[in-house]
Amino acid sequence: MSDIWFERQLTHVAQRKNDHRSPFQRDRARILHSAAFRRLQSKTQVMGSGQSDFYRTRLTHSLEASQIGSGISAQLRMKHPELSKILFPNEDSLIESLCLAHDIGHPPFGHGGEVALHFMMRDHGGFEGNGQTLRIVSNLEPFSENNGMNLARRTLLGLIKYPQTLEQLTSEQAPTIPATFRQLKASDWHPPKGVYQDDIDTLNWILSPLSHSDKSLFQQINVRQNAHSKTIYKSLDCSIMELADDIAYGIHDLEDAIVTGVVRREDFEQQVINKLQKIDDSWLQQLSKPLTEQLFSHKTYQQKEAIGGLVNYLITAITLVDLNENSPIQFEEPLLRYNAKHPKTAQQALQIFKDFVYDFVIKRTEIQHHEYRGQQIVMELFEALASDPLRLLPKNAQQRYTYAVENNLNSYRVIADYVSGMTDDFATNLYQSLFVPSNSRSHHDLHL
């Protein structure tokens, strides 16, 4: 692999005595020790943080995705030894780094917070969780003065799920602006998925080793009528990270829902088992027969055995696909040419689990109430902070805001950065501090 993918934006990197770590091991350490990563412990995954000490948060989800990602890497190295030296580092810290960092750009209150921030930023470049992740690692986290964690180029490439700016992807048909925040319909304001125009220099630096044809192909979009457009391609490392994320979401988040009694046995049997039995895969059919009994058993070890079996099935099914093979697509860069993918049967199985979690957990009225409440909190906070930033923002955010104004940069992005970095609890406490009159309420030490 070319050394150009090990390069960092800030070329001066502290050399510490007897530090024999690889570039990706250093990246993993920076992510693990970042404030943005720690905040994931108090950000909603599915159930809502704080409701129980059992529920997965975005932090535990990211740790599980990281473990799955390293398992996928090991599988691919074994299955494709001829490509290992070209495509894979000798250790799993690169993929672990991507999985640990993939959610750090998500705002408080899950997709409710994302919709709220995108609406408030609609005239100032928009907001999107994946774009915010890139911004945090390459700009905001204070491991360096101006380059965030100053991660290796390949790590940054792997974190880019959608290699195009929001401006290039936004639907030309804008939704109607609601009369009040409470009338905002979330489905009208889901953002396109991409990178901010504010971070275009970073994106161009990451993609600079690519040939002109590779860069153009990698950034191609699928234009859709009356909807946001979508990017088409991802790097190899990103494809592994996304599979790990999907497995953790579809299987481990399902475990939460079953153990806490959120989903019914009858619904699981009908919507998951019956569909799995129709897939033409004898191993999967055999695996799924006792699944209901195991997952809904009061014997925890049976649940763990079932979850482990599912995860193992989904990891071991993954293989490498050559996008150039029998295709007009011709990538020169190996990191773009190859993607990790599921064969059709495993893909169908994982989709059944993901759909079930979405329909029977995410869309539950109680969880949608939580998202809606968070949506309102985020919009109200943004409006208040934007009304008088130099009065209401904390000192470090004030300094960044002043710098943006003085240098003709996007000052609203500073406010979005601040609000999106909040945990669910911090946002709720700040909201109460600003808007809920109470003489008896204790003063919270609201530092972020």
Side-chain angles (χ1 to χ4, degrees), residues 171-188:
S171 171
E172 292 183 3
Q173 186 172 335
T176 304
I177 307 295
T180 68
F181 289 162
R182 293 188 179 183
Q183 295 176 17
L184 184 78
K185 189 176 180 181
S187 58
D188 288 344

Side-chain angles (χ1 to χ4, degrees), residues 224-373:
R224 302 192 300 169
Q225 295 297 319
N226 302 325
H228 296 314
S229 299
K230 289 187 173 182
T231 57
I232 302 171
Y233 301 110
K234 305 178 194 305
S235 70
L236 165 66
D237 302 324
C238 185
S239 71
I240 296 173
M241 176 260 283
E242 286 223 293
L243 284 169
D245 184 23
D246 284 350
I247 293 171
Y249 165 78
I251 306 302
H252 287 301
D253 290 353
L254 170 67
E255 183 186 7
D256 270 5
I258 290 172
V259 172
T260 53
V262 168
V263 297
R264 299 190 312 156
R265 182 180 179 132
E266 299 78 19
D267 291 331
F268 181 79
E269 186 76 28
Q270 184 179 353
Q271 298 297 324
V272 176
I273 301 301
N274 289 352
K275 291 179 181 179
L276 290 175
Q277 288 292 314
K278 293 175 183 175
I279 296 177
D280 185 20
D281 184 327
S282 57
W283 172 254
L284 183 60
Q285 290 178 1
Q286 194 66 30
L287 181 70
S288 61
K289 278 181 183 176
L291 203 54
T292 303
E293 196 63 44
Q294 291 173 317
L295 287 176
F296 286 85
S297 169
H298 293 297
K299 297 176 180 178
T300 305
Y301 73 89
Q302 289 190 352
Q303 295 170 342
K304 290 298 180 186
E305 182 66 29
I307 292 294
L310 283 171
V311 172
N312 181 70
Y313 166 79
L314 291 168
I315 288 176
T316 55
I318 293 168
T319 188
L320 276 186
V321 174
D322 184 350
L323 300 183
N324 289 7
E325 191 173 329
N326 303 320
S327 169
I329 299 167
Q330 291 298 307
F331 279 116
E332 300 167 32
E333 170 56 56
L335 293 178
L336 304 186
R337 175 177 173 175
Y338 295 96
N339 269 195
K341 289 195 175 180
H342 267 138
K344 185 178 178 182
T345 52
Q347 188 177 31
Q348 288 175 322
L350 180 54
Q351 193 62 49
I352 288 169
F353 284 104
K354 287 170 61 181
D355 289 346
F356 183 75
V357 170
Y358 182 77
D359 292 334
F360 286 84
V361 182
I362 302 293
K363 298 303 289 182
R364 279 175 65 89
T365 303
E366 304 94 299
I367 289 175
Q368 289 305 306
H369 285 178
H370 180 78
E371 278 201 6
Y372 177 82
R373 171 177 167 270

Side-chain angles (χ1 to χ4, degrees), residues 77-96:
R77 280 198 297 270
M78 183 193 70
K79 289 182 178 180
H80 305 276
E82 75 285 0
L83 292 172
S84 286
K85 288 184 180 179
I86 304 172
L87 298 177
F88 299 110
N90 291 327
E91 27 79 21
D92 296 326
S93 51
L94 168 62
I95 300 303
E96 289 173 358

